[in-house]
Amino acid sequence: AACPNQHVSRDHKYDDWIIKITPAVPANEEPSVERVRVMCEDLSGSRTDFDYNDVVFDVKFIKNGNQYTADIILRAIGGELPLYIGTREVHDLFGVATNTMVNTYEGRHTEVEPVHFTVTLPSTGTYNNAYDAINALPVYVKISSSPTPIQLTVNPGQPAEMIAVPVSTEWPDERESILNRYPSFVNWIRDSSVVWYETT
């Protein structure tokens, strides 16, 4: 049988059916932003290797109302000091001793399975995308000369202790300077428009 709208004469207005198709989003849930890789240098001011693998993790930030959660996949640890993402010590998450490095040696970046966990962020921040939220995610290192853990930061005019890059970016091997792995990194320090993590 013909549809009811076929029982009337054609008026050439093309307004009998108006449809809008939108992506499905569950009720009371806002979409998450993209996942990025964070590569950290835990003592950049006093170290000389600058391998940016002291802790490596992929993160995306999920917003639900005014609450933000960091959904984290821990990939590697090259640091030999107690290091925390939120309140979670990264060596403990991998089940290894503090002086044990995980997934940072040449050809062994996937030797140990990554660890998935979440961290709740303060509800006072504004996070329009994952890059905006990196400094809101507390990453701390514990050194013997300080009574309290020291938070890693990204401050203008100082070596970055955390770098956010696409998840396709490979972190340097243990003791491999990021300048050797990514020669354009030095140009990015002078010009932030340089895409230093693309090697081709």
Side-chain angles (χ1 to χ4, degrees), residues 75-90:
R75 297 284 181 186
I77 309 169
E80 298 180 88
L81 295 170
L83 200 148
Y84 301 83
I85 301 175
T87 60
R88 309 294 299 273
E89 205 286 319
V90 295

Side-chain angles (χ1 to χ4, degrees), residues 164-181:
V165 293
V167 295
S168 58
T169 306
E170 189 72 14
W171 56 91
D173 296 330
E174 194 56 46
R175 307 296 180 200
E176 177 189 24
S177 170
I178 197 168
L179 299 178
N180 292 340
R181 174 63 68 98

Side-chain angles (χ1 to χ4, degrees), residues 39-99:
M39 304 189 308
C40 301
E41 184 65 28
D42 63 11
L43 291 173
S44 61
S46 59
R47 293 276 293 275
T48 57
D49 61 1
F50 288 98
D51 51 19
Y52 282 92
N53 68 12
D54 292 332
V55 65
V56 179
F57 57 93
D58 299 344
V59 60
K60 69 177 178 180
F61 295 90
I62 301 170
K63 181 181 178 185
N64 189 355
N66 67 346
Q67 187 65 64
Y68 295 83
T69 300
D71 183 275
I72 298 168
I73 300 173
L74 179 62
R75 297 284 181 186
I77 309 169
E80 298 180 88
L81 295 170
L83 200 148
Y84 301 83
I85 301 175
T87 60
R88 309 294 299 273
E89 205 286 319
V90 295
H91 297 87
D92 288 345
L93 287 165
F94 270 128
V96 299
T98 304
N99 63 351

